[in-house]
Amino acid sequence: MNFRKFFWVPAVAAAITLTSTLAVAETTIRVTLQLPAKHSIGANWMAFKKIVETESKGELKLQIFAAAQLYKDKETPQAVGSGAVEAGSVFLGRFAGSVPAVEVINVPFLFTDEKALRANVASGSAMRQALDAAMLKETGARVLWWQAFGRNIYLNNGKPIRTPADFKGKKVRTYGKILGWTVEALGGAPTLMSGSKQFLAYQQGAVDVGMTGASSVKTRKLYEVMKNMTLSFDSAIEFVAIMNGKFFDSLSKKHQDIIVKAARTVEQQLRDHIYTQESEDVKLLRTKMNVIDLTDAEREQWRSATKGVGDKFAKERGPLAAKIIEMVRK
């Protein structure tokens, strides 16, 4: 008897089985991020990574490329949508060119309070279903979850901003088209500017008023160049965690379920963390600058001055935008 042959056959079979098993274990999901891994967005992905790798027993592996190692923010929707990279995070407004309705999140005072905002941006809400489906259809990028970044505030030097009258004749830094409409409605002149350019612009007086989130005021040390911070909280700042749609569809049902479940878990974790952190950031910033809390009467002046922005958005940004405005207002 050829013992060598006898043992070779099962050995080969075992090797093939092992190779097949390893192939499954080596399914890799590359993730491109703009922010550092230690940032809340990066930490959120790390939490997702831990859940997915644990639940899949190592069959799914995530590689996190933070701080724009692979793609810049404006390149991410195309990179993920085309499949050049499997997943990533991007500022929601980057989808405005393909799906104008996504900027509904920037319509001032559309969401009356934090509770209303949470309800509308929650996974499974009517607004989310409509926007997520549109982004997948138009770009090929599937939204896994929305990543809260905070709410909008204003910065300035000199007389604190309390009412729309305080914007008259002022140049205001913005980070989106709809936010520009808001500034115009308040009486100011919008200037589109990336977040990284804020410190120098404020220091040099390139703009009179800043627009950002409280977390950015702290991390970018904007309190060193701006004395006042007005807590308008008139709109939300959101990122989205996205995955190439075809890649997601190629995964087994088991792996898809793991990803969807993990996404819902980390989405809620981040949103809870961000709003808690926002309160803590504001508390800290009160020791470093003059923080203005608007009275109900002052806030009503802002609402009245900017009401037309929502109407303009519904009229000019297409049927989906109009549908969502009506949906949220109801």
Side-chain angles (χ1 to χ4, degrees), residues 162-163 231 292-303:
R162 302 200 71 101
T163 69
L231 304 181
I292 296 89
D293 298 285
L294 299 177
T295 65
D296 290 342
E298 289 169 341
R299 190 172 296 278
E300 188 54 40
Q301 289 187 52
W302 288 61
R303 290 183 189 277

Side-chain angles (χ1 to χ4, degrees), residues 24 58 100 112 116 159 169 179-180 187 191 199 204 214 270 301-302 304 330:
V24 173
T112 54
K159 179 185 175 183
L179 295 167
T191 299
F199 189 96
Q204 296 179 343
L270 179 60
Q301 289 187 52
W302 288 61
S304 178
K330 283 184 177 180

Side-chain angles (χ1 to χ4, degrees), residues 21 24-26 49-61 254-255 258:
T21 301
V24 173
E26 292 174 359
K49 169 184 168 73
K50 182 177 181 179
I51 295 172
V52 168
E53 291 184 348
T54 300
E55 292 298 317
S56 70
K57 295 180 172 58
E59 293 175 355
L60 294 175
K61 297 288 187 180
K254 181 183 76 171
H255 287 169
I258 288 172

Side-chain angles (χ1 to χ4, degrees), residues 275-329:
Y275 290 125
T276 298
Q277 186 63 52
E278 186 176 66
S279 296
E280 293 176 359
D281 289 344
V282 169
K283 183 177 180 180
L284 172 66
L285 291 169
R286 289 184 191 277
T287 68
K288 298 179 178 296
M289 59 196 310
N290 180 31
V291 177
I292 296 89
D293 298 285
L294 299 177
T295 65
D296 290 342
E298 289 169 341
R299 190 172 296 278
E300 188 54 40
Q301 289 187 52
W302 288 61
R303 290 183 189 277
S304 178
T306 59
K307 186 178 184 303
V309 175
D311 298 332
K312 183 178 180 180
F313 180 82
K315 182 179 179 180
E316 297 188 14
R317 305 309 259 191
L320 180 58
K323 177 183 176 181
I324 291 175
I325 286 290
E326 181 181 8
M327 182 190 303
V328 175
R329 283 178 171 172

